[in-house]
Amino acid sequence: MVCLGNICRSPLAEGILRHKLNELQLDNIIVDSAGTSNYHIGESPDKRSIKNAREHGIDLSSLRARQLISDDFYEFDHIYVMDRSNLANAHAVAPSEELKNKVMLILSLNDDSTYDEVPDPYFGGPDGFELVFNLLDNACNKIIERIKADNND
Ligand code: 4NP
């Protein structure tokens, strides 16, 4: 899960997906998040993301921001980004043209076409975080469907 700062959107995405996988006892799947920038390395998620997640029964408090690195393209099967700027920045870190194919806009999984990018809630109010949560919750349901389909191959 990748955004710009790794303090607002991608920690929520990480927390939501891990929570769903735990509930399904699919906890052998490694979920992580990172930012394309170095702005917030080592920091906890934004207080507003922590609060929003807590309201949904998810604890983000132990997460710490890190920056996306080229090794992540070998470590992970899928790299989900929040917006097109993350997509371009992630592509710039990819070690090869082929590995760029691991990166996708997370909302391209959702049926609802109102949003194709997860809006950055950093400069807005709490409503923005709830919108982000709902968009990511839907997308994570789609990711779980993909994982189940892959496991049945
Ligand atoms: P995120 O939000 O990419 O969802 O973590 C942001 C966090 C920090 C900044 C921008 C977006 N910033 O400019 O510091």
Side-chain angles (χ1 to χ4, degrees):
M1 302 299 194
V2 172
C3 63
L4 175 63
N6 193 208
I7 56 166
C8 294
R9 293 166 292 177
S10 59
L12 266 173
E14 176 184 349
I16 293 167
L17 184 58
R18 185 173 296 121
H19 184 76
K20 289 181 186 295
L21 291 169
N22 280 341
E23 281 182 338
L24 294 166
Q25 294 176 343
L26 288 168
D27 15 31
N28 57 325
I29 291 166
I30 297 169
V31 184
D32 199 4
S33 67
T36 59
S37 76
N38 61 5
Y39 303 157
H40 296 281
I41 292 174
E43 292 180 21
S44 300
D46 188 285
K47 287 189 177 61
R48 298 163 295 173
S49 281
I50 292 180
K51 180 170 185 285
N52 178 275
R54 197 190 304 122
E55 286 164 4
H56 293 278
I58 298 172
D59 180 17
L60 303 184
S61 61
S62 64
L63 302 183
R64 296 293 178 268
R66 71 174 182 91
Q67 190 169 20
L68 183 71
I69 55 172
S70 58
D71 273 357
D72 289 321
F73 284 80
Y74 299 109
E75 286 293 319
F76 296 95
D77 297 326
H78 303 285
I79 298 175
Y80 296 107
V81 297
M82 304 294 132
D83 62 33
R84 289 192 174 79
S85 138
N86 305 151
L87 186 73
N89 290 331
H91 279 171
V93 176
S96 71
E97 280 302 311
E98 195 188 343
L99 287 169
K100 286 182 183 176
N101 294 327
K102 289 191 173 185
V103 188
M104 76 184 286
L105 277 174
I106 190 166
L107 294 191
S108 63
L109 296 166
N110 287 13
D111 300 325
D112 174 9
S113 57
T114 316
Y115 290 92
D116 63 352
E117 301 180 290
V118 183
D120 186 347
Y122 188 64
F123 294 106
D127 288 358
F129 284 80
E130 184 62 10
L131 170 65
V132 167
F133 183 93
N134 286 321
L135 292 170
L136 292 174
D137 191 57
N138 284 333
C140 288
N141 287 336
K142 298 288 180 186
I143 292 172
I144 301 257
E145 284 173 22
R146 287 183 105 193
I147 290 169
K148 285 181 175 167
D150 287 349
N151 283 349
N152 287 333
D153 281 349

